[in-house]
Amino acid sequence: MQMKGLIPIAKYSFFALISRMRNIARWSLMRNSARENVQEHSHMVAVIAHALAVIRRDIYGGSIDPGRTAAAALFHDASEIFTGDMPTPVKYFAPDIMAAYKKVEAVAAQKLLSSLPTEMRPAYDELFSGADAEMAALIKAADTIAAYLKCLEEMKAGNQEFRLAAEQTRRKLDSMKLPEADYFIEHFAPAFEMTLDELNIAFD
């Protein structure tokens, strides 16, 4: 490792950049009872994407790899290290804004990949791209479910700022017509509206 005085000179910055996802706030236009950052959100999306893949494989007889799906989900918002989190009303305001943002995201992803050793880039490029349409669909559903659950938790805390977002996100989920997402919402979402004491009672 090269040194500049007492400070090491980094050859590759990929993981140092990834760690900065925790500095990017989500829901920036909303009043939050509990702030959420992109790193926290990405972990939850990976957990849910893994669950959706397990549901597809073990309940509906699919052949998707839950581990690979979870790994890809961890990086689904990695480009926001450079772009920041654009509020949904802005991102989807007009098709040309969305198209331009997608181009910026692609450039940001390539910038991130370039901060890895050449030999490691193909493995991460596959994760960044979502690998295939089936996996990408489950990750998109997991992303939407995570947003919906955030809305439920905010409303449980008495924050009605998230009421309309919850309704819109639920409609978006329903329009996906994914059995795995429907299964998750039916079996797991209600617990997010419970208090800790109620959750403990459920385990008795």
Side-chain angles (χ1 to χ4, degrees):
M1 178 185 296
Q2 291 180 299
M3 301 285 289
K4 183 178 181 181
L6 297 177
I7 303 173
I9 299 174
K11 191 171 184 181
Y12 300 108
S13 57
F14 180 84
F15 295 104
L17 289 168
I18 289 293
S19 75
R20 290 178 177 266
M21 291 168 73
R22 66 180 180 271
N23 297 327
I24 305 168
R26 285 175 49 80
W27 305 95
S28 57
L29 295 180
M30 309 279 277
R31 178 176 60 82
N32 288 252
S33 63
R35 286 287 174 187
E36 180 185 56
N37 63 52
V38 172
Q39 191 171 70
E40 293 166 334
H41 168 70
S42 296
H43 170 266
M44 194 62 186
V45 172
V47 169
I48 297 170
H50 181 272
L52 296 182
V54 169
I55 292 167
R56 174 163 292 186
R57 185 191 66 187
D58 297 349
I59 294 177
Y60 295 113
S63 58
I64 195 167
D65 181 347
R68 191 159 158 254
T69 304
L74 277 173
F75 294 98
H76 82 285
D77 276 342
S79 63
E80 291 185 3
I81 293 164
F82 296 119
T83 68
D85 179 56
M86 181 177 287
T88 297
V90 178
K91 186 186 296 186
Y92 295 100
F93 179 75
D96 54 342
I97 293 177
M98 186 62 187
Y101 186 72
K102 287 292 184 185
K103 290 179 181 178
V104 172
E105 282 185 320
V107 171
Q110 289 305 308
K111 178 67 175 175
L112 263 179
L113 288 171
S114 72
S115 66
L116 282 164
T118 304
E119 298 83 356
M120 295 177 65
R121 290 175 194 172
Y124 284 87
D125 186 27
E126 184 176 296
L127 295 178
F128 278 28
S129 65
D132 58 50
E134 180 184 25
M135 189 181 298
L138 289 188
I139 293 170
K140 180 63 177 174
D143 189 26
T144 307
I145 290 171
Y148 178 63
L149 298 179
K150 162 69 172 172
C151 294
L152 293 185
E153 290 180 318
E154 286 289 332
M155 290 193 297
K156 182 179 68 177
N159 184 4
Q160 292 303 306
E161 180 96 358
F162 279 75
R163 180 183 55 79
L164 182 58
E167 294 171 0
Q168 292 172 337
T169 308
R170 182 57 190 266
R171 285 197 295 270
K172 183 178 178 182
L173 263 177
D174 292 341
S175 71
M176 290 180 177
K177 301 189 183 302
L178 275 176
E180 297 82 5
D182 294 340
Y183 184 99
F184 188 98
I185 291 297
E186 178 183 352
H187 290 83
F188 301 112
F192 285 80
E193 299 181 79
M194 298 169 67
T195 66
L196 180 60
D197 287 339
E198 290 169 336
L199 290 170
N200 284 335
I201 289 170
F203 283 107
D204 290 341

